[in-house]
Amino acid sequence: MSEAFDWDILHRPSAMAMVRGQLGFSWMVLSGRLARLTDEQYFWRPSSEALTVVRRHYAGQFRSLGSGEWVAQWPDEPDHRGPRTIAWLIAHLTETFFERWEWTFGPSRQGRADITLHGNAQDAVAWLTYWVETWQQAIAALDEDEVMTVGLSQANELDASEPFGHVVLRLNRELIHHGSEIMTLQDLYAEAA
């Protein structure tokens, strides 16, 4: 389970402390909600068109993201606006944190398609928790100067061309954005049940 939020970080006057505080607080809120996630909520489809996580042979018209039996349905167009399930959102966050860690602090061998996804809420939440907390620990170990290093992350062309602090802020935004979607879907599921 997630570690408690480091409230002392709010008194550290640095840009990286603010970035880490934003990530830590946002994760504390989301992980608290995910601790109560059921399999029914995890797979609930707000519409029949919603992207989700399925067994590989049920991926349908979509590309498959993931290396095992369970894969995320991945649309061809980058700006796909269709609805998504909590399962899909958790898979997306997991592959995002995994890939950034792998290509910044790890051996730089695996990509997002190599991620293992899960067919139940408990394992999926545990896997997301692992990657978010691994990412948090890695960025906490950086010196302030390293945060301005261009190309510290080699996950993609954008990461390689910008100061690393921008990568961290982008991942914070992903967690906040998709975390909000997850919590909204939990609320909608409760109203629909």
Side-chain angles (χ1 to χ4, degrees), residues 105-179:
F105 305 106
S108 303
R109 288 193 300 258
Q110 296 185 329
R112 63 198 308 195
D114 299 310
I115 192 73
T116 300
L117 301 177
H118 299 279
N120 66 76
Q122 182 178 355
D123 291 340
V125 169
W127 199 222
L128 174 60
T129 299
Y130 174 81
W131 285 111
V132 171
E133 291 180 355
T134 299
W135 175 256
Q136 284 179 303
Q137 292 164 8
I139 65 170
L142 290 176
D143 292 330
E144 289 285 329
D145 293 343
E146 290 178 287
V147 175
M148 292 302 151
T149 303
V150 173
L152 183 62
S153 175
Q154 295 291 311
N156 57 43
E157 285 184 33
L158 181 60
D159 286 14
S161 68
E162 63 186 356
F164 182 64
H166 288 288
V167 176
V168 177
L169 286 169
R170 196 164 49 254
L171 263 65
N172 286 7
R173 187 201 69 224
E174 285 288 299
L175 184 73
I176 294 166
H177 170 91
H178 295 306

Side-chain angles (χ1 to χ4, degrees), residues 44-141:
W44 180 67
R45 289 181 160 207
S47 84
S48 61
E49 306 281 314
L51 297 174
T52 193
V53 171
V54 295
R55 292 185 192 277
R56 182 173 296 282
H57 59 279
Y58 291 119
Q61 67 192 16
F62 299 102
R63 293 180 293 137
S64 300
L65 178 86
S67 63
E69 176 185 5
W70 291 91
V71 297
Q73 296 173 317
W74 208 258
D76 287 325
E77 64 276 7
D79 268 352
H80 184 271
R81 297 283 181 211
R84 299 165 288 207
T85 64
I86 292 174
W88 191 94
L89 293 163
I90 289 174
H92 174 52
L93 284 171
T94 303
E95 60 88 5
T96 298
F97 280 92
F98 158 74
E99 185 178 51
R100 285 321 189 295
W101 181 88
E102 173 77 13
W103 287 87
T104 307
F105 305 106
S108 303
R109 288 193 300 258
Q110 296 185 329
R112 63 198 308 195
D114 299 310
I115 192 73
T116 300
L117 301 177
H118 299 279
N120 66 76
Q122 182 178 355
D123 291 340
V125 169
W127 199 222
L128 174 60
T129 299
Y130 174 81
W131 285 111
V132 171
E133 291 180 355
T134 299
W135 175 256
Q136 284 179 303
Q137 292 164 8
I139 65 170

